Amino acid sequence: MSVSLLRDVVKPVLTGFKITAKRLGKKKVTISYPDELREQYPRTRWRHYLTRYDSGLERCIGCSLCAGACPARCIYVEAAENTDTERYSPGERYAVRYEINMLRCIFCGYCQDACPTGAIVLRKDFELANYKREQFLFTKEMLLEDYPGQNLEPYKSKMTGAEAPIYRG
Amino acid sequence: MPKRIETVVLHDSSTPVLGDIQKGGSVVLTTVDTLLSQARAHALWPLTFGLACCAIEMMCTVASRFDLARFGSEAFRATPRQADVMIIAGRLSKKMAPVLRQIYDQMPEPKWVISMGACASSGGVYNNYAIVQGADQVVPVDVYVPGCPPSPDALIYGVMKLQEKIKKTRAKSFSELRIAESLNPRQMEEVRS
């Protein structure tokens, strides 16, 4: 069987280029991640935050229901009594220590469901990778937001500051 | 000519600790080091070490939507001899741990390890007799990526953190970096003093 220029070289090459030409007109599917973020679904569950009331008081009352609901047992809560001079939350008690082991957490959101005051919420910060184990023990100071509704805005990338669009159906 | 003093960090290059060995190096060689670490950071060939469901997200990371090839890591190798970084994707059972260690030992220097997901990093929900509670009990881990499983962009963020770490690394050879991990704590004290 002899090699035919038309059949064995030109035709296969043209067939290949036909596919290339067909794909050229289509929109590219790749998201160039650090420069642009993909859209985030409304119920995306990533990093936890402890929220505040509009008055600035903490929502968390230190009831440990989140720790009880956690399947990975990664939450530790220690409660203390509020006093009139030192008031952190509207109830009788507040969480003096609130720690989450982010490495053990599976981001199931059961703590969010169990919370009676809506204190612990899972927001959209997914860039959590780090170098050492100790850096993943999130204390109350790291989890508590500075002002009410701090992290309700669309998520911005730590690397480039690109904003993640919100998925709208 | 002023001599440039470099820091050779024993365990973790990102956080210099007290008692790091100070070494003098020439300016020319530091430039070569920078060049080498840049080259290493941008051609990380991962080892396919999918152990559980995290492997599905790892495959998705290489696919066209997230495209790990943009970071030079598209060539997943099935042999440890050709791999630079081991991505431990999934829960590590105690039966698998010796295998993981052996494959890690077979990888050529320089080598890095990414622990992907809650199970590989700490055991996750599987706090039981069968699962190793953290892959760092078996191999030294460079970057932990939390999540169950981490989404492809979270893994890409982990890869970028590893690239940053490699670019920051300054050492004459990587065996110098790894020597600390084969020593026990008492020997570590002797090296540092």
Side-chain angles (χ1 to χ4, degrees), chain A residues 92-130:
Chain A
E92 279 177 21
R93 307 206 296 168
Y94 71 101
V96 64
R97 280 177 72 191
Y98 196 104
E99 285 164 11
I100 296 181
N101 184 354
M102 278 295 165
L103 275 186
R104 221 172 244 286
C105 174
I106 57 164
F107 303 95
C108 58
Y110 285 6
C111 48
Q112 189 178 354
D113 293 347
C115 188
T117 55
I120 184 93
V121 290
L122 281 80
R123 298 242 163 96
K124 296 177 169 62
D125 180 354
F126 64 90
E127 293 166 322
L128 294 168
N130 224 327

Side-chain angles (χ1 to χ4, degrees), chain B residues 26-70:
Chain B
S26 67
V27 177
V28 176
L29 275 180
T30 51
T31 319
V32 173
D33 266 0
T34 314
L35 198 70
L36 268 179
S37 55
Q38 287 281 336
R40 281 165 179 161
H42 289 102
L44 281 172
W45 286 15
L47 177 71
T48 45
F49 213 93
L51 290 169
C53 33
C54 278
I56 306 293
E57 296 291 308
M58 190 170 72
M59 286 180 243
C60 181
T61 314
V62 199
S64 50
R65 185 147 191 240
F66 295 96
D67 202 8
L68 204 57
R70 294 180 290 125

Side-chain angles (χ1 to χ4, degrees), chain A:
Chain A
M1 203 171 123
S2 65
V3 176
S4 154
L5 184 73
L6 193 71
R7 191 193 65 203
D8 293 333
V9 180
V10 177
K11 239 180 120 181
V13 166
L14 282 182
T15 320
F17 274 125
K18 214 168 90 183
I19 295 170
T20 313
K22 231 191 263 177
R23 292 284 183 275
L24 268 179
K26 290 190 177 167
K27 200 170 164 277
K28 76 173 169 71
V29 290
T30 308
I31 303 156
S32 46
Y33 153 61
D35 299 322
E36 57 169 317
L37 267 64
R38 67 171 163 150
E39 79 278 352
Q40 286 187 320
Y41 298 96
R43 287 162 68 191
T44 308
R45 296 189 306 264
W46 279 104
R47 187 198 194 283
H48 309 66
Y49 283 97
L50 283 170
T51 52
R52 289 175 187 273
Y53 286 112
D54 289 337
S55 60
L57 286 175
E58 295 164 15
R59 280 178 198 257
C60 182
I61 51 170
C63 66
S64 301
L65 277 177
C66 45
C70 180
R73 294 275 180 273
C74 66
I75 306 181
Y76 175 75
V77 188
E78 196 178 302
E81 297 280 332
N82 276 317
T83 53
D84 284 336
T85 47
E86 247 184 299
R87 178 155 291 279
Y88 295 94
S89 70
E92 279 177 21
R93 307 206 296 168
Y94 71 101
V96 64
R97 280 177 72 191
Y98 196 104
E99 285 164 11
I100 296 181
N101 184 354
M102 278 295 165
L103 275 186
R104 221 172 244 286
C105 174
I106 57 164
F107 303 95
C108 58
Y110 285 6
C111 48
Q112 189 178 354
D113 293 347
C115 188
T117 55
I120 184 93
V121 290
L122 281 80
R123 298 242 163 96
K124 296 177 169 62
D125 180 354
F126 64 90
E127 293 166 322
L128 294 168
N130 224 327
Y131 301 116
K132 286 192 164 183
R133 285 191 94 80
E134 301 90 271
Q135 291 163 329
F136 289 97
L137 194 71
F138 279 50
T139 55
K140 192 187 171 190
E141 290 75 43
M142 295 155 83
L143 292 167
L144 193 67
E145 56 182 19
D146 296 334
Y147 54 89
Q150 183 191 3
N151 293 288
L152 282 175
E153 306 92 61
Y155 179 64
K156 286 193 177 67
S157 168
K158 273 185 207 167
M159 284 267 172
T160 54
E163 199 171 283
I166 292 170
Y167 181 76
R168 293 186 198 283

